[in-house]
Amino acid sequence: MFHYSGNDLYCEQVPLADLARHAGTPAYVYSRQTILDNYRAYDQAFGDLPHAVCYAVKANSSLAVLALLAQAGAGFDIVSGGELFRVLRAGGDPSRVVFSGVGKTADEVEYALSSGIHSFNCESEAELALVDAMAARRGVKAGFSIRVNPDVDAATHPYISTGLNRHKFGIPMAEASAVYERARRLPHVAAEGVSCHIGSQMLDPSPILEAVDRVLSLAAQLRAQGDPIRHVDLGGGLGVAYQASERTPAIGPFVESLAARLRSSGLKVMVEPGRSIAGPAGVLLTRVLYRKKNGHKEFVVVDAAMNDLIRPALYRAHHDILPVRRNALPPVTADLVGPVCETGDFLARDREMANAMPGDFLAVATAGAYGFVQSSNYNSRPRAPEILVEGAQYRVIRRRETYEDLVRGETV
Ligand code: LLP
């Protein structure tokens, strides 16, 4: 939904130059249609196979985005009490919420139980014991899945690969069935499913398919042992194109290949996609402040920085840089840098890009997931607003922070 018409970059039917002038920069801009299309691509490709698409809230947790997905029928994958609060505030259905994460606190477990979430994806036996004890206090029975670690290599960035035994996540596959067996003696938890998530930004989905086979064979074994396993949760992880030239698996065919493996199992399938729903739906708009040269090196200094989008600094992630209005100048090879006082503060390095001049706007592409949510107030920079485009309209779904916001809750 981001496209050029003439020389102008649009989000749906809104020219981004107009939006940038009215809303100011830096600003995150999301296409409502793209978010919905991506969610529906998952939902529809499963067809009549019993399924739940539990959007991974961590990717983009803005209330308006969550509300949009809730209205479209999505479930949610949360990893904290704060994410549950957001889902509920956005009108999400708690009975469609799964709670993942290695470090759930007693308070978070209590909050999740009192809200009536669907189930816990437990990552250790100690956590399972805590859920049992907290459920006992409330006199309820909590559904759980063990997040198993299928020991397959997701072949992605080491910081976002999670499925190997040396990672902190899950319980090793070989130990899982003994854990389910011991769990049968815990009166306030019920084995609902088996879950896994092996990594993120996977451009080749074959490791996910390999993990599915392992998870399915464990589920079959558990059912044979008498556990009433009803679902498998395959996590998220499908990659998106951060460079226009990159080939990524389309959602529909990927889901169809999952569905083909699952159809005969009689199990419901859950997935927890985040990036592939929200990532391509957003850009970060920024304005060129200065051009400068240090020796032979060109710098384009913009008003967005690593505090707004940390992915390039943290993962050396590539995001395409698009001119909001194309000009006739030859491209330039430069570093796109922000005002933060760190050498690591760059949005692109040694990149051939549009020869943008002070006052021009640029769009940092594919910033809808893990963008705003990982932003901070570092260097006491107020966080950017978020704007949702719908057709020819747009609305500010989170206003720009003020200096007062920066000190809220502090005392001298
Ligand atoms: N389920 C679980 C249990 C997860 O840990 C994650 C992501 C997801 C689902 C969603 O995965 P996705 O479909 O978005 O790939 N900050 C990093 C990404 C960290 C992903 C962490 N877990 C980045 O900016 O690339």
Side-chain angles (χ1 to χ4, degrees), residues 56 58 77 160 197 200 236-237 272-275 311 315 370 374:
K58 63 165 79 72
D77 166 51
I160 53 177
H197 167 79
S200 199
E272 304 170 352
R275 189 191 316 265
R311 301 193 72 259
Y315 314 113
Y370 306 112
Q374 296 194 106

Side-chain angles (χ1 to χ4, degrees), residues 71-358:
Q71 281 155 23
F76 297 93
D77 166 51
I78 59 163
V79 291
S80 69
E83 287 191 349
L84 176 56
F85 180 77
R86 284 183 169 280
V87 168
L88 298 176
R89 192 48 83 80
D93 177 354
S95 72
R96 290 162 179 251
V97 169
V98 293
F99 193 170
S100 302
V102 288
K104 302 175 188 80
T105 66
D107 284 349
E108 288 175 321
V109 170
E110 170 68 23
Y111 181 31
L113 287 170
S114 68
S115 306
I117 67 161
H118 179 272
S119 57
F120 293 82
N121 286 343
C122 291
E123 302 218 16
S124 65
E125 221 168 332
E127 180 197 328
L128 191 58
L130 175 71
V131 173
D132 179 64
M134 307 288 299
R137 277 215 262 165
R138 296 193 70 84
V140 295
K141 204 158 176 141
F144 78 90
S145 302
I146 296 292
R147 174 166 173 187
V148 296
N149 193 329
D151 202 26
V152 297
D153 191 350
T156 180
H157 189 285
Y159 285 13
I160 53 177
S161 173
T162 52
L164 290 171
N165 280 342
R166 66 180 132 92
H167 298 134
K168 71 176 174 182
F169 299 99
I171 290 181
M173 202 73 180
E175 294 164 31
S177 94
V179 174
Y180 277 96
E181 197 176 317
R182 288 193 288 275
R184 273 181 236 144
R185 294 198 287 270
L186 300 176
H188 291 278
V189 290
E192 287 269 343
V194 180
S195 78
C196 76
H197 167 79
I198 62 169
S200 199
Q201 182 52 14
M202 297 189 335
L203 294 175
D204 170 10
S206 49
I208 306 187
L209 298 176
E210 201 180 315
V212 174
D213 292 340
R214 295 187 191 186
V215 165
L216 276 180
S217 73
L218 175 65
Q221 183 194 336
L222 294 172
R223 284 180 123 184
Q225 289 169 11
D227 278 312
I229 300 294
R230 280 194 274 262
H231 76 255
V232 289
D233 177 344
L234 306 172
L238 195 66
V240 300
Y242 282 105
Q243 313 192 29
S245 59
E246 218 162 21
R247 260 175 225 286
T248 53
I251 294 169
F254 164 69
V255 169
E256 280 155 20
S257 60
L258 288 182
R261 279 174 154 76
L262 288 156
R263 208 165 282 285
S264 62
S265 70
L267 293 165
K268 172 176 173 176
V269 56
M270 293 189 181
V271 286
E272 304 170 352
R275 189 191 316 265
S276 49
I277 289 179
V283 298
L284 172 61
L285 284 183
T286 185
R287 182 167 56 93
V288 178
L289 298 174
Y290 305 103
R291 292 284 299 264
K292 65 184 277 186
K293 243 181 170 163
N294 286 351
H296 290 296
K297 202 157 168 78
E298 277 276 353
F299 292 94
V300 178
V301 185
V302 294
D303 64 0
M306 67 189 287
N307 75 294
D308 299 299
L309 180 67
I310 202 174
R311 301 193 72 259
L314 191 57
Y315 314 113
R316 295 197 152 256
H318 177 110
H319 287 258
D320 275 348
I321 307 297
L322 309 173
V324 165
R325 177 163 289 156
R326 289 177 180 144
N327 62 24
L329 300 173
V332 60
T333 298
D335 283 14
L336 188 73
V337 299
V340 163
C341 300
E342 299 230 14
T343 303
D345 178 30
F346 58 88
L347 296 171
R349 263 195 166 162
D350 292 324
R351 183 80 63 80
E352 187 177 287
M353 64 178 115
N355 207 335
M357 293 298 162

